Amino acid sequence: MFVVESPIGPLGVIVEGDVVVGVRFGVACAPDASHPATEQLRAYFAGELTDFSVPVEMRGGSEFERAVWGEIAKIPYGEMVTYGAIATALGDPGAARAVGTACNHNPVPVIVPCHRVVGAGGKMVGFGGGLERKRKLLELEARVALTRAWG
């Protein structure tokens, strides 16, 4: 594991070779490292990167959780989708809470953008890294998306 400093606090990045297998919030007792994930996370937080290309392996999780993580990975930069919309996309419109639980179990937050999943009506609810981090990530993406759209 190595640490990447960010505007939302230190991120512990767990890799096996070139593949990212985990991201943890608030980890401060690991060295910095030269790795493509470090470079991409820094570029993301600088507003220079909107799509991660670093290889990721989503380990663990139930079949449902893996399906949710797959849907989350499709959410475009700067956009938000509700828990209910993901549940509906997976064929179970009543599973919004289960989607929230699956988001909380996302082993690679930020890179697999569970922060882009919001409550009904865009309400800011739930995030394994805390609502303040979620708000900062959404604000960063909104600011970058607007700047790119309007120059």
Side-chain angles (χ1 to χ4, degrees):
M1 180 186 309
F2 55 87
V3 171
V4 175
E5 294 298 329
S6 81
I8 61 168
L11 299 173
V13 180
I14 304 163
V15 296
E16 288 191 9
D18 290 335
V19 179
V20 176
V21 297
V23 174
R24 304 288 178 266
F25 296 107
V27 174
C29 57
D32 194 1
S34 176
H35 188 278
T38 301
E39 296 161 19
Q40 288 189 19
L41 283 163
R42 287 182 179 149
Y44 168 82
F45 286 110
E48 300 163 357
L49 179 81
T50 59
D51 292 305
F52 289 94
S53 61
V54 66
V56 172
E57 184 178 323
M58 303 296 285
R59 295 187 174 170
S62 67
E63 183 178 330
F64 178 78
E65 287 174 325
R66 288 189 302 275
V68 169
W69 300 337
E71 289 297 311
I72 292 168
K74 297 175 190 176
I75 304 170
Y77 183 92
E79 295 185 21
M80 296 179 288
V81 174
T82 66
Y83 295 100
I86 290 176
T88 299
L90 294 175
D92 189 354
R97 285 182 189 234
V99 168
T101 299
C103 287
N104 191 46
H105 293 158
N106 173 5
V108 189
V110 181
I111 295 173
V112 177
C114 53
H115 60 277
R116 296 179 189 157
V117 184
V118 296
K123 186 174 180 185
M124 184 80 62
V125 294
F127 185 60
L131 291 180
E132 182 62 19
R133 283 188 178 108
K134 182 173 187 166
R135 183 186 61 75
K136 285 182 177 183
L137 290 166
L138 292 173
E139 286 176 350
L140 165 72
E141 291 187 9
R143 186 172 50 255
V144 170
L146 284 172
T147 299
R148 287 180 177 208
W150 295 346

